Amino acid sequence: MLELIFIIPFVTGISVLILPVQMGRVLLLAVAGLHLVLTAMAWLGALSPSYPQLFGISPEGLLILLLTSFIFICISIYAFSYIEETEVENKPLFNCCMMLFLGTMSMVTLSDHPIVLWIAVEATTLVSAPLIFIHRSQEALEATWKYVLICSVGIALALLGCFFITLSMDLGNIDAPLTFNSLYQVAPQLDPLWLKTGFIFVVIGFGTKMGLAPMHTWLPDAHSQAPSPASALLSGALLNCAFLGIYKVHVLMTMAGLGGFSGNVLVGFGLFSMFVGAIFIISQPDYKRMLAYSSIKNMGVIAFGVGIGGFAVYGAFLHILHHSLIKSSLFLSAGNVLLGFDSKKVQKIGGVVRHLPKTFISLFAGFVGISGLPPFGLFISEVIITIGALQNGRYLPAGLFLFAITLVCAGSGRIFMSMSFGDGGSPVRTKENILRLIPPYALLLMSATICIWMPDALYKAIINSISLIGGTING
């Protein structure tokens, strides 16, 4: 039963509210491991949906599900130690919301019905909001309010987009189930005007949750105030789920012969997001907010690559993999720095290489990776996207793309160098717990491994995902 992948986290998450805290921590790890096993079974074709009119297996959905599951098990190991060392008062609520968060994101990846996908994306907002407010500070309250308000408005617009897509079916007198697989088959018969209108609303709506500018304003506050394990999930997994909603509708547009229109929309939002991220990274005083703006920039890279099409789509999907792994690792390393120095302010952090040498390795390697420098995968994906843009004759967008990447590298480089080698404040603790070190190292190692050797099943999933919109691996 395919639905067990999200049902088990739902049931277990609710149950930990009445269980002892220690048992809740153990269950968080157990659910993470079981989720990875069930995900592997889905990849092997051993699970089938009990409700095929609502849920199904798609290559892009499986890809993001596997990525989410791997990231979650690493974060669960990290959280086992991290939460005990922080001032989180309501630990049962933290364990509950983490598992519910996993369940709702899994539901997004398996949804084949547009409205079910919309419900699942909206549910991610409701179950993750308590994680942002977990420290109950004034700043956390403001961040949570912005997150719920802005994302709810955005998701409401996405629902309107889904209704317009349904209207395009009615105007075309199409009698088919309202699932993405069915819509793909009848795409040429859909009314183009309402399909375009629906796509714009979907991009604005799901783009709000994805962190595309100018709908991004909730993201820096939420990522900054959430505990580091939750920040890693928000950036490394949630943003991909929102992208999945946009991508499925972009596939529909392409099959309807409107791929040029939807591609240009994505290129525009992508470039704007990259420049917004780049500008706000420069002289950013809060290193967790800096990582959040980096996520905005990288979501822009993904949207840009998908919008360009061809070879660039392959680069965009590689970017999804490596950004999720590296950014999750960086947020976990940032959590170690926060525990060590008890501050998120860049000016109060200095000499990480001396005081927290093991954390420094993962922090600095993460910086190299997220900046798009070799040997990590974002360098490869950004080169592929650039080549794809040049192949398609998009010289001006390619130039703007490279300029934005350079700005981000320069801005984030100054901050990381200051934190690593500068003379900031002294740490309040220098002990580095092994459970807080293994997960960021494992995430970075996975990213580096995929650069050298990619499993055949993973490679085929990417190829099958990009072939839907004419993506190619021929550079």
Side-chain angles (χ1 to χ4, degrees):
M1 181 179 176
L2 185 68
E3 291 82 359
L4 285 174
I5 293 177
F6 59 82
I7 290 175
I8 290 176
F10 285 159
V11 175
T12 312
I14 294 172
S15 68
V16 299
L17 287 174
I18 58 174
L19 295 175
V21 173
Q22 197 67 20
M23 187 177 293
R25 294 168 67 198
V26 174
L27 278 176
L28 183 64
L29 282 171
V31 167
L34 180 58
H35 188 273
L36 189 59
V37 170
L38 290 173
T39 299
M41 292 174 64
W43 270 75
L44 295 173
L47 297 177
S48 58
S50 298
Y51 300 94
Q53 69 275 22
L54 301 178
F55 303 101
I57 293 176
S58 64
E60 66 275 13
L62 275 183
L63 190 68
I64 294 178
L65 177 65
L66 178 63
L67 190 58
T68 301
S69 189
F70 178 75
I71 290 172
F72 189 85
I73 198 168
C74 291
I75 290 172
S76 298
I77 295 170
Y78 181 93
F80 194 89
S81 169
Y82 181 86
I83 295 303
E84 288 302 308
E85 300 180 64
T86 58
E87 298 178 355
V88 174
E89 297 179 5
N90 198 333
K91 294 179 175 64
L93 180 64
F94 174 84
N95 293 327
C96 168
C97 289
M98 288 287 283
M99 283 188 264
L100 293 179
F101 199 13
L102 174 65
T104 52
M105 289 189 293
S106 302
M107 188 175 175
V108 171
T109 64
L110 298 174
S111 297
D112 192 39
H113 193 289
I115 305 302
V116 174
L117 186 145
W118 176 87
I119 291 171
V121 173
E122 173 67 358
T124 62
T125 304
L126 301 178
V127 301
S128 57
L131 294 172
I132 300 171
F133 186 58
I134 204 78
H135 292 301
R136 301 190 178 186
S137 64
Q138 183 68 31
E139 293 81 5
L141 176 61
E142 180 183 350
T144 305
W145 175 249
K146 288 177 68 175
Y147 174 60
V148 172
L149 180 64
I150 295 173
C151 287
S152 295
V153 171
I155 294 301
L157 295 176
L159 179 61
L160 189 58
C162 292
F163 287 154
F164 286 143
I165 292 172
T166 305
L167 181 60
S168 71
M169 291 179 62
D170 294 337
L171 292 176
N173 295 317
I174 298 170
D175 184 17
L178 187 58
T179 64
F180 283 108
N181 281 328
S182 297
L183 287 171
Y184 294 161
Q185 296 172 13
V186 299
Q189 304 171 45
L190 298 176
D191 183 89
L193 176 61
W194 289 108
L195 199 55
K196 288 180 180 179
T197 306
F199 178 76
I200 291 174
F201 276 89
V202 164
V203 170
I204 295 173
F206 288 136
T208 301
K209 200 65 176 283
M210 184 180 169
L212 294 179
M215 300 85 69
H216 69 285
T217 50
W218 65 270
L219 194 149
D221 292 326
H223 286 55
S224 175
Q225 294 303 317
S228 293
S231 297
L233 268 184
L234 285 167
S235 192
L238 176 63
L239 304 186
N240 293 339
C241 292
F243 161 77
L244 190 61
I246 296 174
Y247 185 74
K248 285 180 177 292
V249 180
H250 177 55
V251 171
L252 179 62
M253 293 287 288
T254 301
M255 292 188 169
L258 302 172
F261 173 83
S262 57
N264 287 333
V265 171
L266 290 175
V267 168
F269 275 108
L271 284 175
F272 188 60
S273 300
M274 290 179 67
F275 275 98
V276 168
I279 291 169
F280 281 94
I281 281 176
I282 299 173
S283 301
Q284 180 58 238
D286 182 320
Y287 58 86
K288 285 193 73 177
R289 288 179 67 89
M290 182 271 292
L291 292 177
Y293 280 112
S294 171
S295 293
I296 294 168
K297 168 259 178 181
N298 282 289
M299 290 302 105
V301 170
I302 293 166
F304 178 85
V306 170
I308 289 293
F311 191 39
V313 186
Y314 179 63
F317 271 78
L318 285 182
H319 205 89
I320 290 172
L321 292 177
H322 291 291
H323 170 259
S324 294
L325 295 169
I326 296 172
K327 184 57 64 63
S328 298
S329 173
L330 271 172
F331 269 113
L332 299 185
S333 297
N336 292 342
V337 173
L338 179 58
L339 284 177
F341 288 84
D342 194 28
S343 176
K344 292 179 287 188
K345 299 298 181 183
V346 173
Q347 64 181 10
K348 294 183 179 181
I349 312 296
V352 174
V353 65
R354 300 188 303 274
H355 302 300
L356 303 171
K358 298 181 180 67
T359 295
F360 164 76
I361 295 174
S362 61
L363 185 71
F364 193 76
F367 154 68
V368 172
I370 209 66
S371 298
L373 300 174
F376 289 99
L378 293 188
F379 171 76
I380 299 171
S381 64
E382 288 173 352
V383 168
I384 290 174
I385 291 172
T386 303
I387 293 173
L390 294 175
Q391 283 180 337
N392 289 347
R394 310 293 287 271
Y395 302 114
L396 178 59
L400 294 173
F401 177 81
L402 293 174
F403 181 61
I405 289 173
T406 304
L407 283 179
V408 171
C409 186
S412 59
R414 186 194 63 81
I415 294 172
F416 276 109
M417 292 301 175
S418 173
M419 292 171 58
S420 299
F421 306 107
D423 298 320
S426 299
V428 297
R429 72 169 88 180
T430 56
K431 182 180 179 181
E432 297 182 282
N433 191 311
I434 188 66
L435 290 179
R436 291 190 283 104
L437 291 172
I438 291 176
Y441 276 74
L443 290 162
L444 289 170
L445 180 61
M446 179 59 70
S447 176
T449 300
I450 293 175
C451 292
I452 301 169
W453 171 76
M454 182 180 293
D456 188 57
L458 187 62
Y459 175 77
K460 287 181 178 178
I462 295 176
I463 297 305
N464 291 335
S465 298
I466 68 176
S467 64
L468 295 172
I469 57 172
T472 177
I473 60 170
N474 298 317

